[in-house]
Amino acid sequence: MAEVLRLAMTLSKLRIGFAIMLCALAGIAVAPGPGPGAGAVAVLALAVLLSSASAGAFNHYVERDLDARMVRTRRRPFASGRLAPGWRWPALFAVVLVIAVAAAAAATNGVAALHVFLGAFTYGIVYTLWLKRRTPWNIVWGGLAGSFAVLAGAAAVDPVPGPAALALALVLFFWTPPHFWSLAFVYRREYAAAGVPMLPAVTGEKTAARVVLAHTVVLVACSLLPAFYGMGWIYALGAVAGGGVFLAASVRFARDPSRDTARASFRASLTQLGVLLLAALLDRALAGVLPAW
């Protein structure tokens, strides 16, 4: 049973799924007005987690040939042969996605459900099938998966997103490329050998690091915008602190492109996003209790 659970967690990319779910909850937090009830929030969070899991599992299935060529990914379930490919797997992933979208629609509204679907579609189809093997800008559009999670949460409050929700969606759009490119820099030779045109594998080291820095600057600027559209000082503090960590790491990476500074940039990106999203949730939870911004 333990082995089955580990296999399911790996296949569904559960850690990424929880991060995407947190994005949806942050979308609720930054949307002005009374949010949905606790039950609806729980269902929407689970729907986002399931939709992310279906897209992640589909990614494993489609990329099993690429994963088998890379040391970092060759132990994944389909790449390693622990799971045999067959039409039943994509069918199962599609059923999970349909259940997730239907649950989001029933618990909240059709607009939120549409965003749940678009997040999975962007990662599973646009990024995995259409762009991954064709362009070094693949992950740029893949970043929309997180943006749609934010918009799904915001739509549960109001189908028309406000400026704070749009700004946070932009943060996720600009966060994903420098986050993943930092990791891809570490494994750029593996990507090149596998024929995957990740940006660090097809361009110079300095160019890749500078592109990471440029994206980081834009996302940190975007992360500050919700503080001017209703979010309080807790959110602002989280945006400044988390953004400062990622920006400092990106500057070091740009000055000295290496595997060590790339890893540090990757870890800093996780810190930045975690601090930002938790600050948004805490800001909303304590609204009216602590002094306003």
Side-chain angles (χ1 to χ4, degrees), residues 1 17 31 60 84 100 109 164 209 235 240 253 261:
M1 179 59 71
H60 274 225
N109 56 61
Y235 174 85
V240 170
F253 181 33
T261 55

Side-chain angles (χ1 to χ4, degrees), residues 48-139:
V48 170
L49 182 62
L50 287 175
S51 68
S52 174
S54 70
F58 183 72
N59 174 270
H60 274 225
Y61 183 84
V62 171
E63 295 186 355
R64 61 191 183 276
D65 60 325
L66 298 180
D67 288 342
R69 302 174 201 167
M70 299 176 60
V71 174
R72 185 177 70 89
T73 57
R74 65 187 180 190
R75 294 181 60 83
R76 287 177 173 176
F78 287 110
S80 65
R82 284 182 291 171
L83 294 178
W87 66 267
R88 292 178 180 82
W89 289 111
L92 174 61
F93 306 149
V95 168
V96 171
L97 179 58
V98 169
I99 292 173
V101 172
T108 56
N109 56 61
V111 176
L114 176 62
H115 289 311
V116 170
F117 168 77
L118 289 175
F121 180 83
T122 298
Y123 187 77
I125 303 300
V126 176
Y127 169 68
T128 301
L129 280 183
W130 296 349
L131 301 179
K132 178 72 173 281
R133 305 179 193 230
R134 292 185 174 93
T135 171
W137 303 105
N138 45 30
I139 199 63

Side-chain angles (χ1 to χ4, degrees), residues 65 79 121 127 149 168 199 201 207 221 245 280:
D65 60 325
F121 180 83
Y127 169 68
L168 191 59
L199 183 68
T207 299
V245 169

Side-chain angles (χ1 to χ4, degrees), residues 187-207:
Y187 298 100
R188 62 191 184 280
R189 291 186 178 87
E190 289 190 35
Y191 280 112
V196 182
M198 284 296 173
L199 183 68
V202 299
T203 190
E205 294 180 357
K206 290 185 178 181
T207 299

Side-chain angles (χ1 to χ4, degrees), residues 203-259:
T203 190
E205 294 180 357
K206 290 185 178 181
T207 299
R210 288 169 181 168
V211 172
V212 166
L213 175 59
H215 272 76
T216 304
V217 169
V218 175
L219 86 87
V220 170
C222 290
S223 73
L224 298 174
L225 293 178
F228 299 96
Y229 291 100
M231 297 302 291
W233 66 267
I234 296 176
Y235 174 85
L237 183 61
V240 170
V245 169
F246 193 11
L247 193 58
S250 296
V251 169
R252 289 192 294 271
F253 181 33
R255 288 176 175 172
D256 176 27
S258 68
R259 290 169 63 92

